[in-house]
Amino acid sequence: QSALTQPRSVSGSPGQSVTISCTGSSSDVGGYNFVSWYQQHPGKAPKLMIYGVTKRPSGVPDRFSGSKSGNTASLTISGLQAEDEADYYCCSYADTYTSWVFGGGTKLTVL
Amino acid sequence: QVQLVQSGAEVKKPGASVKVSCKASGDTFSSYVMYWVRQAPGQRLEWMGWINAGKGNTKYSQKFQGRVTITRDTSASTAYMELSSLTPEDTAVFYCAILRREAFDIWGQGTLVTVSS
């Protein structure tokens, strides 16, 4: 099954904003509003940060926001903090094989 | 809030099988759809399969079809993932995760499986 494409790395200084893109196709990102984003610190399990493209689970700071345009979804983190440094993965439902596909992950470095 | 606790790390030889457990806290186990997700070193997350904890029906990723078996014991609120015919390429961290709100909402802590001769 096809995978989603993310930049390998992004960086920003404390207080700045960064955006991570996630590009798929009309069979996944573009076709469904089932895009989610996960934060993973080294040696830890992924943590759900955004679901349904734009929704935040309770407890996730409102500095994290999601959006989608066509076949590309985006995660924006505003007011960067040191603890935001982690790997971020996007995920989407894909009608191919009625399954879920993940992006390759983006390493966020807070300078 | 439901929590998932997985079994400990395993070391297996090529050709062997491994069975990983995932115990859920709380009393709504049967309402869950439990996924298993693999993360090989430096690789993306990939789903392996899922089980409807209430009905017991399963679906497996084509990539793992024939090698993976997912089961559950509702009396123990525990799901299991067994992977057979292990190769060194199966060395990975395996996670169980609950699908809710069309996202992987709750994750276990992960189980490292090392395959080495």
Side-chain angles (χ1 to χ4, degrees):
Chain A
Q1 61 210 53
S2 300
L4 307 178
T5 301
Q6 297 180 234
R8 277 188 166 266
S9 64
V10 297
S11 63
S13 300
Q16 288 186 331
S17 294
V18 295
T19 296
I20 300 172
S21 62
C22 170
T23 301
S25 69
S26 58
S27 296
D28 39 66
V29 174
Y32 302 90
N33 286 326
F34 297 147
V35 176
S36 50
W37 290 90
Y38 303 85
Q39 177 191 66
Q40 187 178 35
H41 287 108
K44 300 294 186 182
K47 175 187 175 183
L48 179 64
M49 304 300 284
I50 296 287
Y51 68 98
V53 180
T54 61
K55 302 178 180 67
R56 274 179 293 106
S58 70
V60 173
D62 60 7
R63 302 185 293 104
F64 291 83
S65 63
S67 63
K68 187 182 83 167
S69 177
N71 296 336
T72 299
S74 299
L75 172 71
T76 298
I77 309 170
S78 58
L80 271 178
Q81 298 182 5
E83 58 262 35
D84 298 335
E85 185 163 293
D87 292 327
Y88 291 85
Y89 293 89
C90 63
C91 178
S92 173
Y93 178 77
D95 57 23
T96 309
Y97 306 118
T98 58
S99 65
W100 298 87
V101 288
F102 289 91
T106 298
K107 181 176 180 57
L108 168 63
T109 301
V110 180
L111 302 170
Chain B
Q1 173 73 311
V2 62
Q3 289 187 321
L4 302 177
V5 178
Q6 299 183 221
S7 50
E10 303 258 15
V11 178
K12 295 292 183 181
K13 293 195 181 302
S17 298
V18 67
K19 191 170 186 177
V20 181
S21 67
C22 172
K23 182 174 177 59
S25 63
D27 58 0
T28 56
F29 178 76
S30 293
S31 68
Y32 302 148
V33 176
M34 189 80 74
Y35 275 71
W36 287 88
V37 178
R38 184 175 83 168
Q39 187 172 38
Q43 301 297 312
R44 71 183 66 218
L45 299 159
E46 55 184 341
W47 77 284
M48 302 175 67
W50 57 258
I51 186 165
N52 180 309
K55 298 178 182 178
N57 55 307
T58 57
K59 181 180 172 70
Y60 302 121
S61 165
Q62 199 167 35
K63 179 172 182 174
F64 298 97
Q65 184 83 41
R67 283 210 301 144
V68 66
T69 303
I70 299 173
T71 57
R72 95 296 191 210
D73 179 347
T74 54
S75 66
S77 297
T78 301
Y80 302 91
M81 184 282 297
E82 184 170 20
L83 187 63
S84 62
S85 302
L86 293 169
T87 71
E89 289 67 43
D90 289 315
T91 293
V93 176
F94 294 83
Y95 295 99
C96 57
I98 292 172
L99 186 79
R100 288 195 307 203
R101 300 181 287 192
E102 301 303 335
F104 298 99
D105 196 6
I106 307 293
W107 295 71
Q109 83 278 18
T111 297
L112 174 63
V113 175
T114 302
V115 183
S116 174
S117 55

